[in-house]
Amino acid sequence: MKKLVSLMLALAMVLGLMSFTTVAAADDVVKLTWVQGNSPAPKDNDKVLEYLNNILRERIGVEINIIYMSSDEVGTSIAAGEVYDMYFTCGWYNEFNKNVADGIYANLYKDGKNLVKEWAPKLWESMPESVWELACSSGDNLPYGSGLYAIPVYKDIAPENFIVYDAQVAKDAGIEVPDVIEHWDELTPYLGALKAAMEANPDLGTYPINIGGAPAGVETSFDFISRESLIGVIFGDTKVVSLFDDPTIMERYRTMHKWYELGYVNPDSPLQTEDSINGKQHHVGWTQAWDGYDYTPSRGFWCKMTRYSGPFLNSDGVQGSMNAFSVTLEDDEAKFKKAMEFQELINTDKEVRDILAFGIPGEHFEYRDVKDDAGNVKGQAVVRTQAGKDGYTPWRFSQANYAINSIEASEDTLNGTFPPPDLDQWNRYFSYVADAPVSAISGFTFDYQNPIDFSTQYAEISALKAEYMSRIQCGVVDPDDPENGVPALRAKMEAAGLNDIIAEAQRQLDAYLASKK
Amino acid sequence: MSNLSVKQKKKKGKGSTGSSFDNLEIFLLHLPTTIWYLLFCYAPMFGVIIAFKNYKPRPGKSFLWALFNNSKWVGLDNFKFLVNSSYFETMLKTTVLYNIVFIILGILIPVTLAILFNEIYSRKLAKTCQTMMFLPHFLSWVVVSYFVYAFLATDQGLVNNLFKQIDPATGRYHNWYADTNFWMYFLVFLNVWKGMGYSMVVYMASISGIDGELYEAALIDGATKWQQVKYITLPLLRPTISIMFIMAVGNIFRSDFGLFYQATRNSGALTSVTQTIDVYVYKALLEQSNVNLSSAAAFLQSVVGCLTIIGANVLVKKIDPEAGLF
Amino acid sequence: MSENVKTKKKAEAKLKYTKVKPGTNVAISALFIFLALICLMPALLVLVVSLSSENSIRIKGYSYVPTELSLEAFRYLLHQSSYIGRAFLNSIGITIVGTLFGLITTSTMGFALSRPNYRLRKFFTWFIFIPMLFSGGLVASYMINAHILGLKDTYWAMIIPICCSSFYCIIMRTFFQTTVPDAIIESAKIDGARMIRIFVQIVLPISLPAIATIGLFLTFAYWNDWLMAKYYISGNKHDLFPLQYVLISLEENISFLSRNSQNMTPGTANSIPSETVRMAMVVVSVVPIACSYPFFQKYFVSGLTIGAVKG
């Protein structure tokens, strides 16, 4: 036993002395690593990187290696002390807030010095300042105080939520569904008509609403501070409350339950997942999209959308997809600058951006002319080749700017089977989003581990949500039911310490708002 | 080891006390395995410290450095999320009670089947059946959950469609995934069904290792089939049964996550019969990947397992001094 | 004449004791057939569903008699991952090498622990017992395996870290204790044989049932493992992937794609035959390994059956 202990001690000492800093390349080309989701890498990743690096070497003297990992692999890698230069990060991948609090990412906005503006002015200008502001994180306990810890991906940053519906049914039944609704209940007549149509024609399906798990975006319009503990503010307000204090949300739960009671919702929805549900029977669906997005091609029937929430500009939306720099780059300014330059290039250069998204031009995708009804060329869109579809389909939303990325089309949308691609959708989007209402708590980050560590409370609340939430969200139980509904859940959450969390969040928020003035 | 068994050993091994040369040879024989254990089990063992720390990584520094220089000791704080949970009682109850049932059935059924297996006239039939009984082992719990759902789905499930199970209270089809009484038994069935073929193998192998002459001698004495089983097969299976029992008892705080979470489709309404410790830990850490808390839970399970194994060992040795693990 | 009757009677008596009664045999056989069917039916359904057309699943649900057969799911699998063939070979290689390694490590340790006279027996029983319950956790193992031992992105990462298990060692030990009498080893020793030779030439051959059992467990464990690949093989080292990992990531990808239809090329959302593909994946991964089962089975099925007892 003694031998074992001494062996372990010796081993421990050896390990303690080791550290795994990456060694900068000796030649003048700077080698950078970038973590992206998801594992495994696209089949042709090496090929595309080789092609891309030829361009990068020439343009900025950089070679990039993109490493594809799943979220828990990145977590393990970071915990074990491995270092990559840049990371894709957000709330649900590579936990952004936790990593910021742990000091994993470099601060780009430190001591009044704006590294992005200084080193990559074009990158800074590619997005409005309000977006940069929303990307910031706050907190007294952050290693460097408040700051900017990642570059947001300029895409659908202001969440807008829609209900997609089968337009043919509405037309047949003579029901007018408005483009914007305030209450879900406004759709009840439409759902009734759909149900009647289904009874007449069982091929359509059985349930107007056929969902797997909670509909995506039931809780949008509530301005979350912590999705884990379901706290936040009612949009525009600064008083921290529980999700269940928002009357809009409660009304949606009640409407869902009403629909369930009417037989409009499939009974086993909480047991299903989105992919176990038959996609073609999605006559009604929830989605986060933007004006101009058309589900008709992917659903295969005539779809229209009605907006029930948004657009809202808040940190939650902007921080939905970002790329951060490793804090170790702060020790190597030359490399840091190159990494920034790389981010600038992929966010501002259309050619590089399209290679990242679609692969090698001519091999993985082709540029094709898009014509309007009169046959005039409106512009170009990208069509993936079979090799592209099979060999290179990385996550696009985690890479860089959408505004400069080519619009993707398919043969069907070019030959007129389906409506032609809307080449202007992003310009339109960014112009109207600029006027969207901005959250009153933008830039605020709740640190749930400092100074009070709420990990234990979060754990309990997470388990409670697993028991109650999906049934409430799917309308299977009455939200006002004292045993299975919100009152029961809320009481248990409070017993687990919800009110302490709210009080601490309010304290941190007040301090943040005071510092901002 | 009790005195008695030591004495017995000595008596048996008369004239063959292992020389130091023998000892060295045996040691060399298992040296590679020993090195494997040191590298892959003992070297990472320092990781258990994380259960008592608030681990903060530091980029560019090794795990070990960050563990000792960058992470605060927090005492037993990490265990609070389990012990203080409102689910604690449910967790203990489900985990331990199911395990007791599983351990009993997990010995009784495979042993019985292994013995019966040898009595079938047709070898071909026996082998074919046994091969088929192994199939469920290959199907992951996710795949199993598809079938279970095909049977139990509320509106399109086979059971509800065949038997028109309608709840008088609601006038709707019976919601099986909210029926805790049913699942209590059904989980046991699923467990037995999936593990039956696999756990039979160990006992079948043990039986085939029994010296045939023993049965011949019994035949000459005119022993009936039942007597052969009772006086030859079972006593010779006892060491295997004991060891399997002891090892199963060590896992009394652990549970098959797939069975309780995936096969039940994570139905919230079934929480009271499916919330085992592992399921709770999974649900609790779904949204925060907290290595401290998960390590604390694993550590607690290990400590309890260690205690129960030692207890089971004492118990087994009371019955048969030769059969213990230590 | 009388002697003839005697032997006949004797034979009858023997039969009476070696065989269960015909009625009992029927009952036991029926029980086994029943159990086999319960186990076979779902597996059969997997096969049928994997061969059904997606449309047939949509209309009829899971059914043993699909309205329409189709190889679409298998075609999709082949088409989606061109490296599936390579992965298949990798899995076979890893499984064979791993099982051999595993058998060496577990049988030697199990043998050592089964010798009552081995002086370090008690120490090493504890030595292998502790890791059965306590482990340093994923991060610590990852650091040791990937950085200290340099196993990252090698086949060894999928073989060595999981080649031994205390559970198997202890089962081995118990087998050796009950089936290898001390007397055999003593007499071999008197003949001057070394321990290693005794182990290889005497102990192993009479312990084939035990070797087959643990070999079977190891084979299945290696074949089904994908966690090692997930953590120790980089996402772009496609040529190292084992089959299970390819299937698992394909499955994740299907659910990801169908969840995020926004990110998809228009028109493809409904073209993934997800339900049948899932079942086809099960078929692809189960059939080869299930075929290896009878090979192991013949070693642990008892030779002590009616015919085996010499008259």
Side-chain angles (χ1 to χ4, degrees), chain A residues 206-314:
Chain A
T206 323
Y207 302 101
I209 299 172
N210 195 30
I211 41 172
V218 190
E219 285 93 10
T220 52
S221 79
F222 185 69
D223 202 355
F224 278 102
I225 286 173
S226 154
R227 283 183 186 276
E228 295 84 1
S229 54
L230 301 180
I231 60 167
V233 298
I234 294 170
F235 198 90
D237 201 2
T238 56
K239 183 174 179 291
V240 180
V241 292
S242 157
L243 169 73
F244 307 122
D245 288 323
D246 187 338
T248 320
I249 307 299
M250 287 304 289
E251 189 202 299
R252 286 183 198 153
Y253 292 153
R254 288 187 189 111
T255 310
M256 230 20 224
H257 182 60
K258 177 181 166 187
W259 289 344
Y260 176 80
E261 290 284 299
L262 286 168
Y264 295 171
V265 186
N266 59 325
D268 286 335
S269 45
L271 305 172
Q272 301 260 32
T273 58
E274 272 175 64
D275 41 295
S276 71
I277 285 286
N278 182 350
K280 278 218 170 111
Q281 289 189 0
H282 266 305
H283 293 276
V284 173
W286 279 256
T287 186
Q288 182 180 324
W290 53 91
D291 189 27
Y293 193 89
D294 191 0
Y295 276 95
T296 306
S298 63
R299 289 282 159 80
F301 54 81
W302 182 27
C303 288
K304 275 173 122 182
M305 305 198 292
T306 173
R307 191 176 73 201
Y308 67 88
S309 132
F312 296 122
L313 272 171
N314 60 8

Side-chain angles (χ1 to χ4, degrees), chain A residues 25-60:
Chain A
D27 50 352
D28 45 346
V29 173
V30 178
K31 289 194 165 117
L32 296 171
T33 50
W34 187 19
V35 172
Q36 287 275 300
N38 191 20
S39 188
K43 198 175 64 181
D44 289 348
N45 185 43
D46 293 347
K47 224 178 184 178
V48 174
L49 282 182
E50 201 188 315
Y51 182 85
L52 179 66
N53 279 332
N54 281 332
I55 298 172
L56 292 180
R57 257 194 306 270
E58 200 179 299
R59 301 269 296 269
I60 52 172

Side-chain angles (χ1 to χ4, degrees), chain A residues 20 73-83, chain B residues 55 57-64 66, chain C residues 138-144 146-147:
Chain A
F20 325 109
E73 286 167 63
V74 195
T76 310
S77 154
I78 289 178
E82 277 179 8
V83 172
Chain B
Y55 177 66
R58 173 74 70 84
K61 297 286 189 187
S62 78
F63 174 61
L64 210 73
Chain C
L138 176 66
V139 182
S141 302
Y142 179 83
M143 195 194 73
I144 301 277
H147 294 293

